[in-house]
Amino acid sequence: VSVALRSFNKAAEADGSAIVDRGRHFLGVGSCSASNCHGGDGTRGAVGSEYSIWIQDDKHAEAFSVLYNETSQRMARLLKLDKPAHQAVLCLNCHAPQNDPPFVRASSHETLSALLDGVSCEACHGAASDWLGPHVRRDWSKKSSDAKAALGFRDTRDLWTRGKACADCHVGEAGRDVNHDLYAAGHPRLFF
């Protein structure tokens, strides 16, 4: 991780690039992972242990780190990307989707810690800056889906919402299109 931090920060300093904060922003998995929130030990089932399950068993937790492997680096060369995979917007849009819609680049130092989260809680549930506080209050469960959505929260219990969140990367949308060029370069098939 420290190698990743140094590598990313060095590149960001060299070209002044990092993720732009466009209103709502990601707070990172640290905002969800406390043991009294979603970082439980599973003794009460999945509810309350979502972070623990994600970090131990979900490939999405490794989405950013795989950009350092040999396959990803070879793909970046074959695609003639101007940066290595772990810095290329084309890759980061799905492997570390910290903005929705996808990346715009500008200056910031706090970017890498969010990138290291890979495809985290907020990639599915929406940037938490506006809904994290309200969602821990007792009246959260009484709020309508529309009221929660107005804060940027995506309720993945709704199958349409969940499918859309998955399909943005696994099928594609503007800025997130795993096309024939990527497959030809060696990208694995995206099943979900």
Side-chain angles (χ1 to χ4, degrees):
V1 171
S2 62
V3 172
L5 282 166
R6 285 193 302 273
S7 172
F8 186 86
N9 286 338
K10 184 177 178 183
E13 289 169 13
D15 70 4
S17 68
I19 301 169
V20 170
D21 176 5
R22 294 184 294 169
R24 288 191 180 108
H25 56 276
F26 280 58
L27 301 178
V29 297
S31 66
C32 308
S33 62
S35 61
N36 62 338
C37 292
H38 297 286
D41 63 6
T43 56
R44 292 189 215 157
V47 175
S49 299
E50 295 88 346
Y51 167 80
S52 302
I53 293 166
W54 171 80
I55 196 69
Q56 294 174 43
D57 300 325
D58 193 326
K59 289 191 179 282
H60 291 98
E62 302 169 8
F64 178 72
S65 62
V66 301
L67 296 178
Y68 285 89
N69 71 26
E70 185 179 321
T71 300
S72 296
Q73 296 306 313
R74 184 181 68 247
M75 287 176 58
R77 285 190 306 274
L78 290 170
L79 292 166
K80 296 179 175 46
L81 300 180
D82 61 346
K83 294 182 179 183
H86 64 278
Q87 294 173 346
V89 172
L90 175 69
C91 304
L92 293 174
N93 279 342
C94 287
H95 284 263
Q98 309 311 330
N99 279 326
D100 191 15
F103 282 99
V104 173
R105 310 282 286 176
S107 295
S108 172
H109 175 67
E110 299 173 354
T111 300
L112 187 62
S113 62
L115 295 177
L116 293 173
D117 290 346
V119 179
S120 65
C121 317
E122 294 168 284
C124 299
H125 293 291
S129 61
D130 291 349
W131 60 260
L132 182 67
H135 113 280
V136 299
R137 296 188 187 118
R138 292 179 195 253
D139 67 342
W140 179 255
S141 62
K142 295 176 183 159
K143 287 189 182 296
S144 70
S145 294
D146 289 341
K148 292 175 182 179
L151 296 171
F153 179 77
R154 284 183 259 171
D155 187 352
T156 58
R157 290 176 297 179
D158 176 80
L159 293 180
W160 177 260
T161 302
R162 183 186 320 169
K164 170 79 170 92
C166 297
D168 285 351
C169 289
H170 285 264
V171 175
E173 69 165 350
R176 293 179 175 148
D177 184 21
V178 179
N179 58 31
H180 294 290
D181 293 339
L182 284 166
Y183 286 131
H187 197 287
R189 291 280 174 204
L190 296 174
F191 299 106
F192 75 102

